[in-house]
Amino acid sequence: MGVGLSMDAFAVSVCKGLAVGKIRLDHVLKAGLWFGVFQVLMPLIGYFFCGIFKDSIDRYDHWISFILLVLIGANMIKEAFGEEEDTSAKMDIKTMFLLAVATSIDALACGVTMAFSDVNIWGAVTIIGLTTFAFSCSGIKIGSLFGEKYKKGGQITGGIILISLGIKILVQGLM
C-alpha cells in the first residue's frame, strides 16, 4: 500500500525535479517532507473521522485531485512557453501544499478503508510516510537529471504527466 500510495507523489516529484534542474538538498527534503507528511496525515484523518468523511470522500476525491493536478500541469506547460522566468520550479508553501493535498486524497480514502479493517494504523502510516518520503526524494533527483539537459521539454513533459495523472484519477473515481 505504501508503494501504491506514493506513486502520485513520485510522479509529481519527478516533475518538480525537471523544473528545478540543478537540485539542492532543500529541494529534496521539501518534496520528501511535504509528500511524506501528507501521506501520513490523510490516512489518519480518514481513519479517525471515517464516519463524517466517507460519503464526501467517495463522491468528490477524484474531482478535487483532477482539478488541482490539471491546473498545476497546465500552468507548467504555459510557463514553458513564456519568458525564461522559473516559476514552475517554485517549491513555496502554497504550491507544495496544493500538490501534497492533490496527491494524498487517495490516502484519505485508504484511511477510511483501514478503519473498517483489522489494521495497525500507526504501523501502516509509518510505512506509507517513509515510502513516500523515499520515493519523493528519488523523484526530485531523477527529474533533475533530465531537467538540466531538457529544461523546456521537461516542463512540458512534467505538465503533461500531471494532467494525465489527474485524468487517470478522475477516470478511476468515476468507474
Side-chain angles (χ1 to χ4, degrees):
M1 186 183 300
V3 171
L5 289 174
S6 67
M7 286 297 103
D8 292 352
F10 173 74
V12 172
S13 294
V14 169
C15 295
K16 276 293 172 193
L18 285 167
V20 170
K22 188 169 179 108
I23 61 166
R24 299 184 314 260
L25 180 60
D26 68 309
H27 295 129
V28 174
L29 292 177
K30 279 181 185 177
L33 288 172
W34 272 102
F35 296 128
V37 167
F38 268 78
Q39 290 286 8
V40 168
L41 290 176
M42 296 297 252
L44 287 173
I45 292 169
Y47 184 85
F48 290 112
F49 298 104
C50 65
I52 299 168
F53 295 116
K54 185 177 180 344
D55 292 335
S56 297
I57 293 167
D58 289 341
R59 260 186 276 166
Y60 302 113
D61 63 344
H62 48 281
W63 283 105
I64 294 167
S65 293
F66 169 74
I67 290 167
L68 289 174
L69 290 170
V70 166
L71 288 174
I72 294 165
N75 190 52
M76 276 183 82
I77 293 169
K78 183 187 102 187
E79 288 174 357
F81 293 104
E83 294 178 20
E84 193 53 37
E85 181 183 344
D86 202 349
T87 54
S88 65
K90 288 189 340 187
M91 295 182 80
D92 61 354
I93 291 172
K94 179 183 173 188
T95 301
M96 295 308 293
F97 176 79
L98 289 173
L99 289 171
V101 168
T103 59
S104 64
I105 290 176
D106 55 345
L108 183 67
C110 283
V112 171
T113 303
M114 286 188 263
F116 297 107
S117 311
D118 187 25
V119 173
N120 175 348
I121 187 65
W122 300 108
V125 297
T126 300
I127 291 168
I128 292 166
L130 291 174
T131 303
T132 303
F133 178 84
F135 272 76
S136 299
C137 291
S138 301
I140 288 284
K141 180 62 179 169
I142 290 167
S144 75
L145 292 174
F146 293 101
E148 287 184 41
K149 190 171 183 180
Y150 306 105
K151 180 72 171 163
K152 183 175 181 175
Q155 282 183 293
I156 294 167
T157 302
I160 291 169
I161 290 170
L162 291 180
I163 292 169
S164 300
L165 187 59
I167 292 169
K168 176 189 130 281
I169 290 168
L170 178 63
V171 169
Q172 286 176 334
L174 293 173
M175 295 178 128

